[in-house]
Amino acid sequence: MYARWSRIQDTENVFNLMDKSDVVTWNAMILSFANLGMENSALECFRKMLSMGIQNDQTTISTILPTCELESGKQLHAYISKNSSILAVPVWNALIHMYSRCGCIRTAYSVFSRMVSRDLVSWNTMIAGFGMHGLGQAALHLLQEMNHSGICPNSVTLTSVISACSHSGLLDEGLEIFHVITKDGGFDPEMEHFSCIVDLLARAGRLEDAVSFIRRIPLEPDNSIWGTLLAASQAHQNITVAILASEHLVHLEPEYAGHYVTLANIYARAGRWDESIKVRRLMESRGLVKPSGTSWIGSGK
């Protein structure tokens, strides 16, 4: 409870009163450090646990691995290999994620390939790893293997595959996957998936198609979708689309001054000085503070 509110000192005080022979106690403390981004403290807690002879379990390992950098991750991998009692699927999944995050995608795939059994998380983690490294074709090939193995894709799979296509310039493939999974597969896409398609189209420079797609979304587009479109329109220097996206962001998040500054600067760049002045006056009337060093080229939330 205390960790949820970032009250780490209170969390540690409670931990010090608990039974130190119980692995659940240590797992809870490690997880608290990990959730608060205190990776070094999580690792130190794990080392202390080992020094006291406390028997860890798969929860301990799968919790500590996401906090590891490559060197400590390799050491933990060696430790895992010598302890068959903790060789469970969640542990292998955490190893795949750790190696992918640390830039060792071949090692991540080697771990994945050696797994005797895999669950949905295994496939999703490896697909996301390929996408993270711009290996869209590998992600698509793995999706085919996943389908042949009888594992059905879920929301995370769709997000990971489309993201992989987006970062690899595989526009047509990403659109086809979206159509197959959502139409033929009967899967109802969520806002995150729509945002991925917008990103896919926008990265390819298809900004007008992205706008058309947004207008067909059955849900009310949120700030992630308009933010994605704004970033792409800035990159492609498309002022018309940038104005559209920025206007929607001001409407959705009227309390965020950065959106007003961005919109005012875009209007000014387009020579629409009256609109630019109106936006700045609106921002001032609402008592919003202008973020320092903001421009239409580099601004963003």
Side-chain angles (χ1 to χ4, degrees):
M1 179 189 73
Y2 287 126
R4 189 185 312 157
W5 298 102
S6 301
R7 294 170 60 177
I8 194 60
Q9 188 58 59
D10 290 326
T11 303
E12 291 186 85
N13 290 339
V14 172
F15 172 74
N16 290 331
L17 296 173
M18 297 176 71
D19 180 7
K20 297 298 189 300
S21 64
D22 187 357
V23 65
V24 175
T25 301
W26 290 91
N27 288 347
M29 194 67 234
I30 292 171
L31 180 61
S32 297
F33 283 131
N35 286 342
L36 292 173
M38 301 173 67
E39 291 85 0
N40 290 336
S41 296
L43 284 168
E44 184 57 36
C45 187
F46 175 68
R47 293 189 186 101
K48 186 175 181 181
M49 177 184 181
L50 293 180
S51 69
M52 292 178 62
I54 306 299
Q55 182 63 48
N56 54 66
D57 57 16
Q58 61 174 297
T59 301
T60 316
I61 304 302
S62 56
T63 301
I64 196 65
L65 269 170
T67 72
C68 293
E69 296 300 329
L70 183 57
E71 190 57 37
S72 55
K74 285 182 176 179
Q75 294 174 4
L76 199 51
H77 189 179
Y79 171 80
I80 293 167
S81 299
K82 297 175 183 177
N83 293 269
S84 58
S85 62
I86 55 176
L87 293 178
V89 170
V91 173
W92 292 120
N93 294 343
L95 271 174
I96 294 168
H97 174 71
M98 184 276 295
Y99 279 122
S100 297
R101 178 174 50 81
C102 292
C104 301
I105 192 63
R106 289 186 178 180
T107 306
Y109 185 63
S110 176
V111 171
F112 176 82
S113 299
R114 292 201 304 269
M115 293 178 70
V116 177
S117 63
R118 307 178 182 115
D119 60 10
L120 178 58
V121 176
S122 309
W123 293 93
N124 285 346
T125 304
M126 194 65 248
I127 288 172
F130 281 139
M132 191 186 306
H133 289 266
L135 301 171
Q137 290 290 1
L140 290 173
H141 179 72
L142 201 61
L143 178 63
Q144 288 183 329
E145 285 189 36
M146 176 182 169
N147 288 330
H148 292 156
S149 73
I151 301 291
C152 295
N154 68 351
S155 172
V156 176
T157 315
L158 183 57
T159 299
S160 299
V161 172
I162 297 176
S163 179
C165 290
S166 181
H167 287 84
S168 304
L170 301 175
L171 175 62
D172 293 337
E173 292 86 343
L175 293 175
E176 182 181 359
I177 290 295
F178 179 78
H179 177 79
V180 169
I181 293 181
T182 60
K183 304 298 183 183
D184 301 344
F187 180 84
D188 291 327
E190 301 169 4
M191 190 66 72
E192 183 179 10
H193 307 122
F194 293 128
S195 183
C196 285
I197 291 297
V198 172
D199 182 60
L200 178 69
L201 290 165
R203 281 177 183 267
R206 302 265 293 272
L207 296 176
E208 286 73 18
D209 289 338
V211 172
S212 177
F213 177 81
I214 290 172
R215 287 173 174 156
R216 297 196 307 272
I217 293 176
L219 306 173
E220 183 68 26
D222 64 8
N223 60 341
S224 68
I225 285 181
W226 292 114
T228 296
L229 187 64
L230 175 61
S233 62
Q234 290 173 331
H236 290 280
Q237 296 292 298
N238 188 317
I239 292 179
T240 301
V241 176
I243 288 174
L244 175 68
S246 193
E247 286 176 341
H248 278 86
L249 285 171
V250 167
H251 174 73
L252 287 170
E253 298 179 314
E255 75 287 351
Y256 181 63
H259 294 328
Y260 295 83
V261 176
T262 299
L263 180 57
N265 288 342
I266 296 173
Y267 277 142
R269 187 179 180 86
R272 295 167 60 174
W273 299 105
D274 289 343
E275 288 95 331
S276 178
I277 292 171
K278 285 180 181 178
V279 170
R280 290 187 180 277
R281 286 177 177 170
L282 178 61
M283 180 182 73
E284 292 170 0
S285 70
R286 292 180 175 176
L288 301 175
V289 179
K290 171 186 173 182
S292 60
T294 304
S295 74
W296 98 276
I297 295 175
S299 66
K301 190 172 181 182

